[in-house]
Amino acid sequence: MTADASLTRESFRRLTTITVPRAVAQLPDRIWTDAEWHRIRLGYQAQSMDERWNVFAEGDVVFMHRSWTGHGIYEVSFASVSGGGKRIASAVAESDPRRYRSMGDAYDRLMLELVLGAIVLGESAVELRSELAELTRSPSGSSELAAGVVERSAGGLRSEPQA
């Protein structure tokens, strides 16, 4: 694949759609520049077992699937913003707990931005990762993150709570 070739649904060996969609009520406020949107549309394919997300776009909809299972977790619709760039207009998340264990809208808002920013765009996303760590901190004060949610690899976040 060339650097400008977009990943498509056919780029992945097995994908399943979201079975029990739930609208995500809290969306990131971020506006992605035209250049960032171009990169997001190219998609992302996990390069190792440590990476947990595959991402591709069809039109203005970005699909985020678990790399291990192929389960659809998020479907994110983007809209153009006056003056340039794109913003998330709506999103749905998988709500079947056998496929994905969300921690609510605030968690999903962070995950949407982290997957797109840290994994697809390769940003450090330090503030977002800190916010996610705080959100997932247990009442005892310790952060009980399944498999190191804020750990960073060359390809982006390594893991999130397992499906």
Side-chain angles (χ1 to χ4, degrees):
M1 182 165 104
T2 66
D4 286 334
S6 297
L7 293 168
T8 65
R9 188 174 300 276
E10 291 74 31
S11 301
F12 305 98
R13 63 185 173 106
R14 71 173 186 275
L15 296 176
T16 58
T17 60
I18 292 174
T19 59
V20 185
R22 175 187 56 80
V24 177
Q26 293 180 25
L27 301 173
D29 292 329
R30 179 174 176 167
I31 296 174
W32 279 268
T33 67
D34 291 332
E36 290 168 335
W37 173 243
H38 173 74
R39 178 63 195 97
I40 290 168
R41 287 200 32 81
L42 292 176
Y44 183 84
Q45 187 166 26
Q47 301 298 304
S48 73
M49 291 298 285
D50 289 334
E51 296 178 346
R52 305 249 172 126
W53 293 98
N54 288 323
V55 179
F56 66 95
E58 293 176 346
D60 286 339
V61 179
V62 174
F63 297 86
M64 300 177 192
H65 288 255
R66 287 297 202 183
S67 62
W68 294 4
T69 63
H71 293 165
I73 304 301
Y74 297 110
E75 292 180 14
V76 185
S77 296
F78 282 79
S80 296
V81 175
S82 176
K86 296 271 190 178
R87 155 177 285 156
I88 295 176
S90 64
V92 295
E94 176 63 74
S95 64
D96 180 345
R98 294 170 297 171
R99 299 182 92 185
Y100 186 63
R101 291 185 304 256
S102 168
M103 296 177 68
D105 284 326
Y107 176 86
D108 288 329
R109 175 187 58 82
L110 285 167
M111 287 307 300
L112 290 172
E113 194 165 353
L114 278 166
V115 171
L116 293 170
I119 294 174
V120 177
L121 298 177
E123 300 169 344
S124 64
V126 172
E127 288 180 27
L128 290 172
R129 290 186 290 130
S130 294
E131 190 177 344
L132 186 65
E134 185 62 33
L135 181 66
T136 58
R137 192 170 307 281
S138 72
S140 68
S142 68
S143 186
E144 297 175 6
L145 301 177
V149 70
V150 296
E151 194 170 331
R152 173 127 169 89
S153 72
L157 296 179
R158 287 190 146 188
S159 58
E160 299 78 31
Q162 306 252 337

